[in-house]
Amino acid sequence: MTSRERAAELDAVDELAGLRERFALPADVIYLDGNSLGALPASTPARLARVIEHEWGERLIRSWNEADWFTTPARVAGRLAPLIGADADEVAVADSTSVNLFKLLVAACRLRPGRRTLVLERGSFPTDVYIAGSVAELLGGELRLVDGPDDLPDALDETVAVLSLTHVDFRTGALWPAREVTAQAHRVGALAMWDLCHSAGALDVDLHGWGADLAVGCGYKYLNGGPGAPAFCFVARRHQDGLATPLPGWHGHAEPFAMGLDYAPAPGIGQLAVGTPPMLSLIGLDEALSTMDGVSAKSLRAKGQRLTSLFIELLDQWCPDLVLASPRDPRSRGSQVSYRHADAYPLVQALIERGVIGDFREPDIARFGFAPAYLRFVDVWDAARHVRDALAAGEHRDPRFAARGAVT
Ligand SMILES: Cc1ncc(COP(=O)(O)O)c(C=O)c1O
């Protein structure tokens, strides 16, 4: 790829190009952080304004019935299910990913009585390790950490209740081969659970095809639900009869308004609801998912691979000294590209000043996410050119860019 015109040609034949206009992106920004906080769908402000002013402001409590607030979690789950290769009644939308990890890790141990070992990757997103550590402690079990696929044969034995992995590594973008690893867990009788935070909405997640037992993921990255949007859980239908949540809240009760003191779980996945859903955020997620109606996960994945490959190709050419932290093979990479650099933090800040928004992860990772729903190939070309120019001008050495914010 030698000219911006060639990138424009790729956009001209991109079957997903029309999706971009469903998002309200600032004209002067190339947004490479949709893997952290997704972009604002163009229709969300009007939808939320209507919900706030009419459904809440005028109709008040009546909206739980009239505006179907009560059934919104199930409706949103139904919209999400096709993007992760699941059926609607296997998905619950509620709480944060961290809380859902707790619910499902305990439920996994209960589904495998007599087994109390949880296996996770050391490089998992930290919340996964914190929560699994707490579950192991509460249940008198063991948390076993692996460093990669080579450690699995030793780590997986008959004591393991659940192998819980983050599908896409949040630092490097490296991808676990989910189908093979799920089968590996099953061979010792363990359940396989996937954290899909960096996958849902960008990768061809196929929970049925993988044979996955459980999954969690968030609504605010590639699903564009907005800051702090509710997260989701997946429980394969075959496990739902024996499912026992450790957080039996009233919204997961079979008859929440009977107000009985005995807990009777709602059938199936319904028991994973806990308390009153954050309706404004949930409706934000509903609206965001409606922008993806009919979009196949396979086409998002194919475009994401092409976008990330182009970025790597350009930076190989223009900045040969940059150290790629992500896998070169697009099949082993999520929808992000990470580089290691001694000045990664100030480099990212310099790029943000240029209008190219990525982020930094400890200790030395400059991370660029490529949301296939709204990024163009010309954006990739322009972003790579800004990286080249910022490095050539030594902007990463400017002390202005060294001061750290609370969120990096
Ligand atoms: C892979 C992964 N797991 C879990 C989380 C935590 O999600 P939450 O803040 O919704 O609990 C994140 C957040 O970025 C994440 O990237």
Side-chain angles (χ1 to χ4, degrees):
M1 177 72 54
T2 48
S3 72
R4 194 172 187 276
E5 285 67 38
R6 277 194 56 209
E9 280 167 22
L10 292 176
D11 285 319
V13 296
D14 171 17
E15 56 167 329
L16 297 180
L19 276 181
R20 181 179 167 87
E21 65 194 32
R22 300 187 197 169
F23 292 87
L25 289 157
D28 54 351
V29 159
I30 301 172
Y31 193 56
L32 304 185
D33 217 1
N35 54 326
S36 217
L37 172 65
L40 172 68
S43 55
T44 295
R47 171 93 185 267
L48 287 183
R50 205 165 54 245
V51 171
I52 291 170
E53 287 160 18
H54 177 68
E55 296 178 10
W56 177 14
E58 290 169 22
R59 303 307 297 164
L60 293 160
I61 193 79
R62 292 170 286 191
S63 285
W64 280 101
N65 287 318
E66 279 178 12
D68 289 328
W69 285 359
F70 195 69
T71 52
T72 302
R75 199 171 55 248
V76 177
R79 281 204 148 119
L80 171 60
L83 284 175
I84 55 173
D87 290 333
D89 61 0
E90 294 174 303
V91 180
V93 174
D95 303 311
S96 63
T97 308
S98 303
V99 173
N100 289 336
L101 278 160
F102 179 78
K103 290 186 281 189
L104 290 195
L105 287 173
V106 173
C109 292
R110 290 175 170 174
L111 283 163
R112 285 290 177 270
R115 295 172 176 237
R116 285 287 175 272
T117 306
L118 299 95
V119 179
L120 271 83
E121 193 184 10
R122 202 180 311 277
S124 303
F125 193 82
T127 209
D128 298 49
V129 178
Y130 306 152
I131 300 277
S134 168
V135 170
E137 197 182 316
L138 282 169
L139 300 182
E142 181 197 344
L143 171 61
R144 209 172 270 173
L145 297 178
V146 296
D147 286 311
D150 292 348
D151 291 347
L152 285 183
D154 282 343
L156 291 176
D157 59 30
E158 305 325 275
T159 70
V160 176
V162 58
L163 168 67
S164 179
L165 296 170
T166 303
H167 183 217
V168 176
D169 184 289
F170 77 101
R171 287 191 185 87
T172 65
L175 196 61
W176 280 90
R179 189 188 304 264
E180 292 76 3
V181 170
T182 297
Q184 215 174 336
H186 288 172
R187 280 198 288 278
V188 296
L191 299 177
M193 167 152 151
W194 293 98
D195 178 336
L196 301 174
C197 279
H198 289 268
S199 313
L203 270 69
D204 48 350
V205 177
D206 182 11
L207 290 169
H208 283 169
W210 299 350
D213 302 289
L214 306 162
V216 294
C218 71
Y220 51 77
K221 298 183 193 282
Y222 295 112
L223 296 177
N224 310 305
F232 64 88
C233 310
F234 160 86
V235 178
R237 193 174 291 105
R238 63 183 177 279
H239 295 306
Q240 291 186 5
D241 278 349
L243 188 67
T245 178
L247 294 179
W250 73 300
H251 272 253
H253 193 283
E255 289 184 88
F257 284 89
M259 303 286 174
L261 275 190
D262 291 330
Y263 179 74
I269 195 85
Q271 68 167 277
L272 291 176
V274 182
T276 307
M279 199 47 63
L280 299 178
S281 286
L282 183 63
I283 290 174
L285 179 58
D286 186 43
E287 190 58 33
L289 287 169
S290 78
T291 67
M292 303 280 243
D293 271 350
V295 176
S296 82
K298 271 193 172 30
S299 58
L300 290 166
R301 171 62 170 153
K303 181 175 174 189
Q305 286 181 312
R306 288 198 293 272
L307 292 168
T308 51
S309 293
L310 173 59
F311 191 65
I312 292 173
E313 181 193 322
L314 292 172
L315 288 185
D316 276 351
Q317 222 174 292
W318 292 339
C319 310
D321 294 338
L322 267 182
V323 180
L324 182 66
S326 301
R328 259 181 200 284
D329 180 349
R331 291 167 303 183
S332 307
R333 187 173 71 222
S335 216
Q336 78 180 60
V337 179
S338 301
Y339 287 93
R340 292 190 193 284
H341 192 283
D343 291 326
Y345 184 81
L347 173 62
V348 167
Q349 298 309 306
L351 289 168
I352 291 173
E353 187 163 275
R354 284 170 166 267
V356 178
I357 302 183
D359 62 21
F360 164 82
R361 286 294 175 265
E362 292 286 359
D364 58 355
I365 298 272
R367 192 172 74 149
F368 304 99
F370 293 83
Y374 47 79
L375 276 178
R376 299 168 301 194
F377 290 91
V378 288
D379 296 324
V380 174
W381 199 93
D382 291 341
R385 198 199 41 163
H386 277 294
V387 174
R388 178 195 67 184
D389 294 351
L391 284 170
E395 289 169 20
H396 53 292
R397 287 191 287 271
D398 186 330
R400 270 188 317 132
F401 297 128
R404 298 264 173 114
V407 175
T408 60

